[in-house]
Amino acid sequence: MSGRERSLDPVDRAIVEAMQAGLPIVAAPYADIAARVGVSEQEAIARIEGMTARGVIRRIGIAPNHYKLGLVCNGMTVWDVDDDQVDALGQKVGAFDFVTHCYRRPRRLPAWPYNLFAMAHGRTNEEVLAKRQRIAELLGPACRGSDVLFSSEILKKTGLRLTRRADEAKPCSD
């Protein structure tokens, strides 16, 4: 993807910035966004649809606060999965309704042998451990080891936020 495809024109960027903290809770949220940006509601909707079609915006949806729903125990389960099977198994792990994030990451040997990460939430640590067990059963013999890292404190919780330097960012290489 070229830099031109990655960059946003000023109006698209303003729309993303206006929406990134969430849509306003009003009868006509897109009209509100459009007014803030200085375009018509129809233009704002068309631009949002265009950014969605280009993959700039993946989705617009509700993001419940799992803490307020009582899911106060969070466990990042980590797995040492056979490299030949990690992609296929990671897709299956990610399909569990209780897994909110699932990633393949490089190992950092010898101290960190894990290459598959899956976040699970529950009301108790025991509930998270039961969910971890379901993942272990799915992974079966392809898994050589695992652990779970429980959150102890929230230091920051937000989605992605654009900054003025975002367009200058280079793709990360592990």
Side-chain angles (χ1 to χ4, degrees), residues 78-159:
V78 294
W79 308 88
D80 176 9
V81 176
D82 183 270
D83 287 324
D84 293 335
Q85 298 180 56
V86 68
D87 290 336
L89 289 170
Q91 290 294 321
K92 292 178 180 179
V93 169
F96 277 127
D97 62 356
F98 59 83
V99 171
T100 59
H101 304 74
C102 189
Y103 306 99
R104 179 179 184 176
R105 294 286 185 251
R107 294 176 170 84
R108 298 291 183 223
L109 297 173
W112 192 256
Y114 309 111
N115 61 344
L116 181 64
F117 294 52
M119 178 63 85
H121 306 277
R123 287 176 167 59
T124 64
N125 282 3
E126 291 74 25
E127 183 180 341
V128 172
L129 291 172
K131 292 172 178 178
R132 177 178 177 236
Q133 181 59 37
R134 288 184 57 198
I135 296 171
E137 290 165 5
L138 174 97
L139 295 174
C143 180
R144 297 179 290 250
S146 71
D147 204 346
V148 62
L149 311 169
F150 284 99
S151 300
S152 58
E153 186 175 348
I154 301 170
L155 301 176
K156 179 183 179 187
K157 182 151 180 67
T158 64

Side-chain angles (χ1 to χ4, degrees), residues 1-96:
M1 181 180 280
S2 73
R4 183 178 186 92
E5 292 167 307
R6 281 194 301 253
S7 65
L8 298 174
D9 74 25
V11 175
D12 282 350
R13 183 178 187 87
I15 289 170
V16 171
E17 288 176 359
M19 292 175 36
Q20 68 186 358
L23 292 177
I25 309 296
V26 296
Y30 296 109
D32 185 273
I33 296 294
R36 284 196 252 166
V37 173
V39 299
S40 71
E41 181 179 17
Q42 293 76 19
E43 182 178 351
I45 291 170
R47 285 175 170 271
I48 292 165
E49 288 172 346
M51 287 187 280
T52 302
R54 293 190 319 269
V56 173
I57 296 173
R58 287 189 314 207
R59 63 185 167 84
I60 297 172
I62 295 172
N65 181 331
H66 62 278
Y67 293 97
K68 290 192 177 190
L69 295 173
L71 302 173
V72 295
C73 296
N74 311 290
M76 178 60 79
T77 64
V78 294
W79 308 88
D80 176 9
V81 176
D82 183 270
D83 287 324
D84 293 335
Q85 298 180 56
V86 68
D87 290 336
L89 289 170
Q91 290 294 321
K92 292 178 180 179
V93 169
F96 277 127

